[in-house]
Amino acid sequence: QKEVEQNSGPLSVPEGAIASLNCTYSDRGSQSFFWYRQYSGKSPELIMFIYSNGDKEDGRFTAQLNKASQYVSLLIRDSQPSDSATYLCAVTPSGGSQGNLIFGKGTKLSVKP
Amino acid sequence: DVKVTQSSRYLVKRTGEKVFLECVQDMDHENMFWYRQDPGLGLRLIYFSYDVKMKEKGDIPEGYSVSREKKERFSLILESASTNQTSMYLCASISRIYGYTFGSGTRLTVV
């Protein structure tokens, strides 16, 4: 069973701090990794994707990938109350079956003013 | 930007009714997906389709069927709605580079 694991949280950080969200995956053959943000009652929206080991930065967001450790993380710098949401990690399984993604259950982030 | 449109945001149906959830995407994507999302259970794949008239079962297909007569439209059918199908239903299409784009979701309540 290919799995993606995330701490469900809630993760609570003060405004302006760095929020660190973590994700591990079981399928060593996974090649593509995605982070989605989901506000309460809304659908998930893509915020970052990463394919290569290392860091990828986009504004206040940094995705980090370590394929050897089967670990992907999302850092949010200068956290804002508007970042309060559930963050879903998703990976493509090996075998690439028609583009399916495997999702974690999400980490709920709360940024306190 | 890819747009995925789900026809209804909220639906209330009675037990035993046949329910149709419609999804349309405007980017000529081949692969489309239906998920349901429940608290504590995350996203669970119901069905997906990689071409017109093609469909594949996901992890929880029981009680559901799908239809893909045109490339842009993927419909989810609840043959006989039951209360345990009360959920948020999400449709998505996929780009190889950008992953999924989700529709806005349909919150279905079966009473």
Side-chain angles (χ1 to χ4, degrees):
Chain A
Q1 183 81 0
K2 298 172 181 177
E3 295 182 337
V4 175
E5 299 286 344
Q6 296 180 256
N7 188 322
S8 62
L11 173 66
S12 184
V13 301
E15 184 174 357
I18 295 175
S20 178
L21 304 163
N22 304 314
C23 173
T24 59
Y25 58 96
S26 63
D27 183 357
R28 190 168 286 279
S30 293
Q31 295 294 322
S32 305
F33 307 86
F34 303 86
W35 282 99
Y36 289 83
R37 177 178 61 201
Q38 186 174 24
Y39 292 114
S40 181
K42 302 294 186 182
S43 61
E45 56 180 330
L46 179 69
I47 53 173
M48 290 284 290
F49 60 90
I50 186 167
Y51 304 135
S52 303
N53 276 329
D55 295 0
K56 179 181 179 182
E57 187 174 318
D58 183 1
R60 295 186 296 112
F61 298 96
T62 299
Q64 299 176 317
L65 175 61
N66 184 326
K67 289 186 179 179
S69 300
Q70 296 175 237
Y71 176 92
V72 59
S73 65
L74 179 70
L75 302 178
I76 306 174
R77 290 183 299 281
D78 188 23
S79 295
Q80 301 297 310
S82 59
D83 295 326
S84 298
T86 296
Y87 289 80
L88 302 174
C89 173
V91 307
T92 53
S94 58
S97 173
Q98 310 301 338
N100 294 9
L101 294 181
I102 301 174
F103 285 86
K105 293 181 180 178
T107 297
K108 188 170 184 177
L109 173 66
S110 178
V111 181
K112 303 295 186 184
Chain B
D1 282 351
V2 177
K3 191 169 183 180
V4 178
T5 303
Q6 293 185 234
S7 54
S8 304
R9 284 286 283 135
Y10 300 95
L11 277 178
V12 180
K13 297 292 182 180
R14 295 193 179 278
T15 301
E17 276 194 80
K18 191 169 186 176
V19 181
F20 293 86
L21 303 182
E22 304 289 341
C23 176
V24 178
Q25 52 98 359
D26 66 357
M27 283 298 290
D28 203 35
H29 287 168
E30 293 177 344
N31 296 355
M32 297 184 72
F33 305 82
W34 274 106
Y35 284 85
R36 62 177 285 178
Q37 187 176 35
D38 302 286
L41 298 178
L43 285 161
R44 293 183 290 168
L45 181 63
I46 304 171
Y47 267 97
F48 63 101
S49 168
Y50 51 89
D51 203 351
V52 175
K53 296 192 185 295
M54 304 300 286
K55 60 184 179 184
E56 293 283 345
K57 293 180 180 179
D59 299 320
I60 52 163
E62 297 78 18
Y64 303 94
S65 62
V66 289
S67 172
R68 189 142 182 226
E69 297 296 320
K70 294 183 178 180
K71 193 173 187 179
E72 67 270 19
R73 186 180 297 271
F74 191 34
S75 302
L76 180 69
I77 304 158
L78 285 66
E79 298 290 345
S80 177
S82 63
T83 55
N84 63 13
Q85 293 178 309
T86 291
S87 186
M88 168 73 96
Y89 289 87
L90 291 162
C91 174
S93 71
I94 192 166
S95 152
R96 291 197 181 279
I97 296 174
Y98 300 113
Y100 282 16
T101 298
F102 286 92
S104 56
T106 297
R107 187 165 294 281
L108 173 67
T109 302
V110 182
V111 298

